[in-house]
Amino acid sequence: MVHPADNQALKIDVDAAQQVSALLRKPTGATSCFVFAHGAGAGMEHGFMASFADGLAARGIASLRFQFPYMERGSKRPDSPALAQKTVRAAVAEAARQCPACRLIAGGKSFGGRMTSQAEAASPLDGVAGLAFIGFPLHPAGKPGIERSEHLRRVALPMLFLQGTRDELATLDLLQPVVDGLAPRATLILIDDADHSFHVRARSGRNDGQVMESMLDAFAQWAGQLAERT
Protein backbone atom coordinates (compact mmCIF):
# COMPACT_ATOMS: atom_id res chain seq x y z
CA MET A 1 0.00 0.00 0.00
CA VAL A 2 1.24 3.50 -0.86
CA HIS A 3 0.16 6.81 0.60
CA PRO A 4 0.64 10.49 -0.29
CA ALA A 5 2.87 10.79 2.78
CA ASP A 6 5.33 8.48 1.03
CA ASN A 7 6.19 11.35 -1.32
CA GLN A 8 9.37 13.21 -0.43
CA ALA A 9 9.22 16.90 -1.33
CA LEU A 10 12.37 18.22 -2.98
CA LYS A 11 13.68 21.36 -4.64
CA ILE A 12 15.70 21.17 -7.86
CA ASP A 13 18.03 23.93 -9.02
CA VAL A 14 17.50 24.46 -12.74
CA ASP A 15 20.15 27.15 -12.81
CA ALA A 16 21.51 29.84 -10.49
CA ALA A 17 18.28 31.84 -10.77
CA GLN A 18 15.54 29.20 -10.92
CA GLN A 19 14.40 26.39 -8.67
CA VAL A 20 11.46 24.01 -9.11
CA SER A 21 9.54 21.66 -6.83
CA ALA A 22 9.67 17.89 -7.12
CA LEU A 23 8.15 14.80 -5.50
CA LEU A 24 10.17 11.63 -5.04
CA ARG A 25 8.43 8.28 -4.48
CA LYS A 26 10.99 5.58 -3.71
CA PRO A 27 9.65 2.19 -2.68
CA THR A 28 11.98 -0.15 -0.82
CA GLY A 29 14.11 -2.21 -3.18
CA ALA A 30 13.38 -0.13 -6.30
CA THR A 31 15.82 -0.80 -9.13
CA SER A 32 14.28 1.61 -11.66
CA CYS A 33 13.23 5.26 -11.36
CA PHE A 34 10.97 7.13 -13.77
CA VAL A 35 11.86 10.83 -14.15
CA PHE A 36 8.27 11.88 -14.81
CA ALA A 37 7.53 15.24 -16.46
CA HIS A 38 4.01 16.67 -16.50
CA GLY A 39 1.88 17.76 -19.45
CA ALA A 40 1.37 21.32 -20.66
CA GLY A 41 -1.86 22.05 -18.81
CA ALA A 42 -1.42 20.41 -15.41
CA GLY A 43 1.45 20.08 -12.95
CA MET A 44 3.07 17.23 -11.11
CA GLU A 45 0.28 16.93 -8.52
CA HIS A 46 -2.48 16.35 -11.09
CA GLY A 47 -4.56 13.28 -10.30
CA PHE A 48 -3.29 11.34 -13.31
CA MET A 49 0.35 12.01 -12.40
CA ALA A 50 -0.23 11.04 -8.77
CA SER A 51 -2.09 7.85 -9.67
CA PHE A 52 0.60 6.82 -12.14
CA ALA A 53 3.33 7.40 -9.53
CA ASP A 54 1.32 5.43 -6.96
CA GLY A 55 0.91 2.56 -9.40
CA LEU A 56 4.59 2.53 -10.23
CA ALA A 57 5.46 2.41 -6.52
CA ALA A 58 3.10 -0.53 -6.04
CA ARG A 59 5.11 -2.29 -8.76
CA GLY A 60 8.45 -1.50 -7.13
CA ILE A 61 9.40 1.39 -9.43
CA ALA A 62 10.50 4.74 -8.06
CA SER A 63 9.47 8.04 -9.62
CA LEU A 64 10.57 11.66 -9.52
CA ARG A 65 7.84 14.08 -10.57
CA PHE A 66 8.83 17.70 -11.07
CA GLN A 67 7.46 21.05 -12.14
CA PHE A 68 8.54 23.03 -15.16
CA PRO A 69 9.38 26.65 -14.25
CA TYR A 70 6.22 28.11 -15.82
CA MET A 71 4.04 25.78 -13.75
CA GLU A 72 6.04 26.64 -10.64
CA ARG A 73 5.22 30.32 -11.29
CA GLY A 74 1.54 29.59 -11.89
CA SER A 75 1.73 30.61 -15.54
CA LYS A 76 -0.28 28.93 -18.29
CA ARG A 77 2.31 29.57 -20.98
CA PRO A 78 4.83 26.72 -21.30
CA ASP A 79 8.52 27.44 -21.10
CA SER A 80 10.72 27.68 -24.16
CA PRO A 81 12.07 24.30 -25.32
CA ALA A 82 15.55 25.34 -24.18
CA LEU A 83 14.41 26.04 -20.62
CA ALA A 84 12.17 22.97 -20.50
CA GLN A 85 15.05 20.76 -21.64
CA LYS A 86 17.37 22.32 -19.07
CA THR A 87 14.78 21.48 -16.41
CA VAL A 88 14.59 17.88 -17.60
CA ARG A 89 18.39 17.60 -17.31
CA ALA A 90 18.33 19.00 -13.80
CA ALA A 91 15.59 16.53 -12.80
CA VAL A 92 17.52 13.60 -14.26
CA ALA A 93 20.61 14.65 -12.32
CA GLU A 94 18.55 14.89 -9.12
CA ALA A 95 17.04 11.45 -9.70
CA ALA A 96 20.54 10.03 -10.10
CA ARG A 97 21.55 11.58 -6.78
CA GLN A 98 18.44 10.39 -4.95
CA CYS A 99 18.35 6.91 -6.47
CA PRO A 100 21.97 5.96 -7.19
CA ALA A 101 21.18 2.25 -7.40
CA CYS A 102 18.30 2.72 -9.85
CA ARG A 103 18.21 2.46 -13.61
CA LEU A 104 16.81 5.77 -14.89
CA ILE A 105 13.92 6.02 -17.31
CA ALA A 106 13.00 9.55 -18.41
CA GLY A 107 9.88 10.86 -20.10
CA GLY A 108 6.43 11.99 -19.15
CA LYS A 109 2.91 12.91 -20.04
CA SER A 110 2.41 14.63 -23.41
CA PHE A 111 4.44 17.88 -23.43
CA GLY A 112 6.74 16.56 -20.71
CA GLY A 113 7.60 13.48 -22.73
CA ARG A 114 8.30 15.52 -25.85
CA MET A 115 10.58 17.93 -23.98
CA THR A 116 12.44 14.93 -22.57
CA SER A 117 12.97 13.35 -25.97
CA GLN A 118 14.10 16.68 -27.41
CA ALA A 119 16.64 16.97 -24.59
CA GLU A 120 17.93 13.46 -25.27
CA ALA A 121 18.11 14.12 -29.01
CA ALA A 122 20.13 17.30 -28.42
CA SER A 123 22.61 15.62 -26.06
CA PRO A 124 22.23 12.29 -24.24
CA LEU A 125 20.80 12.52 -20.73
CA ASP A 126 23.41 11.23 -18.29
CA GLY A 127 22.59 7.79 -16.91
CA VAL A 128 19.24 7.40 -18.68
CA ALA A 129 18.62 3.91 -20.05
CA GLY A 130 15.31 4.50 -21.85
CA LEU A 131 12.51 6.98 -22.59
CA ALA A 132 8.81 6.48 -21.87
CA PHE A 133 6.03 8.59 -23.36
CA ILE A 134 2.58 8.66 -21.77
CA GLY A 135 0.65 10.00 -24.74
CA PHE A 136 3.28 11.43 -27.10
CA PRO A 137 1.82 14.61 -28.68
CA LEU A 138 2.67 13.94 -32.32
CA HIS A 139 0.69 16.95 -33.58
CA PRO A 140 -1.81 19.57 -32.38
CA ALA A 141 -5.45 18.49 -32.31
CA GLY A 142 -6.97 18.85 -35.77
CA LYS A 143 -3.61 19.59 -37.40
CA PRO A 144 -2.14 16.22 -38.36
CA GLY A 145 1.56 16.04 -39.13
CA ILE A 146 4.76 14.30 -38.08
CA GLU A 147 7.16 17.23 -37.71
CA ARG A 148 7.24 16.80 -33.93
CA SER A 149 8.67 13.31 -34.36
CA GLU A 150 11.67 14.21 -36.51
CA HIS A 151 14.05 14.54 -33.54
CA LEU A 152 13.23 11.00 -32.42
CA ARG A 153 15.47 9.65 -35.18
CA ARG A 154 18.39 11.06 -33.18
CA VAL A 155 17.41 9.16 -30.04
CA ALA A 156 19.41 5.95 -29.70
CA LEU A 157 17.72 4.74 -26.48
CA PRO A 158 14.85 2.26 -26.22
CA MET A 159 11.51 4.11 -26.24
CA LEU A 160 8.07 3.16 -24.96
CA PHE A 161 4.95 4.80 -26.39
CA LEU A 162 1.74 4.33 -24.37
CA GLN A 163 -0.97 5.74 -26.63
CA GLY A 164 -4.75 5.81 -26.73
CA THR A 165 -6.41 4.76 -29.97
CA ARG A 166 -8.65 7.87 -29.82
CA ASP A 167 -5.80 10.30 -29.11
CA GLU A 168 -6.48 13.45 -31.15
CA LEU A 169 -2.87 14.52 -30.73
CA ALA A 170 -1.47 11.35 -32.29
CA THR A 171 -3.68 9.76 -34.92
CA LEU A 172 -2.72 6.14 -35.48
CA ASP A 173 -2.38 6.45 -39.24
CA LEU A 174 0.53 8.83 -38.56
CA LEU A 175 1.89 7.46 -35.30
CA GLN A 176 2.21 3.83 -36.35
CA PRO A 177 4.56 4.55 -39.29
CA VAL A 178 6.64 6.85 -37.07
CA VAL A 179 7.12 4.11 -34.48
CA ASP A 180 7.74 1.49 -37.17
CA GLY A 181 10.48 3.73 -38.54
CA LEU A 182 12.17 3.77 -35.11
CA ALA A 183 12.29 -0.04 -34.86
CA PRO A 184 13.70 -1.98 -33.12
CA ARG A 185 14.26 0.55 -30.32
CA ALA A 186 10.63 1.76 -30.13
CA THR A 187 7.71 -0.12 -28.58
CA LEU A 188 4.11 1.00 -29.12
CA ILE A 189 1.43 -0.12 -26.64
CA LEU A 190 -2.06 0.87 -27.74
CA ILE A 191 -4.76 1.53 -25.17
CA ASP A 192 -8.05 0.71 -26.87
CA ASP A 193 -10.66 3.51 -26.93
CA ALA A 194 -8.55 5.85 -24.77
CA ASP A 195 -8.22 9.54 -25.64
CA HIS A 196 -5.20 11.78 -24.96
CA SER A 197 -6.10 11.91 -21.26
CA PHE A 198 -6.58 8.12 -21.25
CA HIS A 199 -10.31 8.37 -20.64
CA VAL A 200 -12.41 5.60 -22.15
CA ARG A 201 -16.10 5.55 -23.00
CA ALA A 202 -18.50 3.38 -21.01
CA ARG A 203 -19.22 1.31 -24.10
CA SER A 204 -15.59 0.20 -24.16
CA GLY A 205 -16.38 -2.19 -21.32
CA ARG A 206 -13.62 -0.75 -19.12
CA ASN A 207 -13.28 2.21 -16.80
CA ASP A 208 -10.41 4.66 -16.37
CA GLY A 209 -9.06 2.80 -13.35
CA GLN A 210 -8.78 -0.43 -15.30
CA VAL A 211 -7.07 1.43 -18.13
CA MET A 212 -4.56 2.91 -15.68
CA GLU A 213 -3.76 -0.55 -14.32
CA SER A 214 -3.17 -1.95 -17.80
CA MET A 215 -0.86 0.97 -18.64
CA LEU A 216 1.12 0.49 -15.45
CA ASP A 217 1.46 -3.23 -16.10
CA ALA A 218 2.75 -2.48 -19.61
CA PHE A 219 5.22 0.08 -18.26
CA ALA A 220 6.50 -2.33 -15.60
CA GLN A 221 6.90 -5.13 -18.13
CA TRP A 222 8.84 -2.86 -20.51
CA ALA A 223 11.01 -1.61 -17.64
CA GLY A 224 11.79 -5.20 -16.74
CA GLN A 225 12.78 -5.98 -20.32
CA LEU A 226 14.92 -2.83 -20.35
CA ALA A 227 16.74 -4.11 -17.27
CA GLU A 228 17.51 -7.37 -19.03
CA ARG A 229 18.91 -5.54 -22.05
CA THR A 230 21.05 -3.12 -20.06
Side-chain angles (χ1 to χ4, degrees):
M1 173 120 8
V2 291
H3 304 280
D6 295 330
N7 289 319
Q8 179 183 352
L10 302 171
K11 291 291 185 179
I12 298 174
D13 291 324
V14 177
D15 53 34
Q18 296 184 86
Q19 190 178 65
V20 295
S21 301
L23 291 171
L24 175 68
R25 172 67 63 81
K26 187 180 178 182
T28 302
T31 57
S32 296
C33 178
F34 185 33
V35 186
F36 191 10
H38 62 74
M44 67 179 182
E45 296 187 80
H46 184 267
F48 180 94
M49 299 283 292
S51 294
F52 205 90
D54 288 348
L56 290 178
R59 290 161 175 79
I61 300 173
S63 63
L64 179 71
R65 289 177 276 157
F66 62 96
Q67 301 280 63
F68 285 109
Y70 77 96
M71 191 64 68
E72 190 82 351
R73 297 191 306 270
S75 172
K76 294 183 179 180
R77 182 177 182 180
D79 301 311
S80 68
L83 179 54
Q85 292 167 32
K86 180 188 286 188
T87 306
V88 168
R89 291 187 187 282
V92 167
E94 184 65 24
R97 285 190 290 270
Q98 295 290 337
C99 303
C102 287
R103 182 177 298 99
L104 298 183
I105 299 167
K109 180 76 177 74
S110 194
F111 169 83
R114 185 163 68 95
M115 292 301 101
T116 301
S117 59
Q118 286 184 356
E120 172 66 27
S123 180
L125 296 163
D126 288 344
V128 171
L131 303 184
F133 308 117
I134 317 302
F136 187 85
L138 184 60
H139 53 76
K143 297 180 179 179
I146 62 171
E147 292 80 9
R148 288 181 175 179
S149 70
E150 291 176 355
H151 70 281
L152 296 175
R153 296 197 297 269
R154 302 193 299 277
V155 174
L157 296 176
M159 290 172 275
L160 172 67
F161 292 78
L162 290 173
Q163 301 283 157
T165 60
R166 291 193 301 117
D167 191 339
E168 294 183 352
L169 276 66
T171 57
L172 283 183
D173 62 324
L174 294 178
L175 180 64
Q176 186 72 64
V178 165
V179 175
D180 290 346
L182 298 171
R185 61 191 188 279
T187 299
L188 174 61
I189 303 294
L190 295 176
I191 311 301
D192 188 48
D193 199 63
D195 61 15
H196 189 65
S197 297
F198 294 96
H199 295 311
V200 292
R201 297 169 291 192
R203 69 187 190 197
S204 72
R206 295 188 296 169
N207 59 38
D208 290 355
Q210 291 169 321
V211 166
M212 175 68 76
E213 289 298 306
S214 69
M215 292 171 60
L216 287 161
D217 286 343
F219 187 107
Q221 182 178 13
W222 178 81
Q225 293 169 347
L226 183 65
E228 293 173 1
R229 283 182 285 181
T230 58

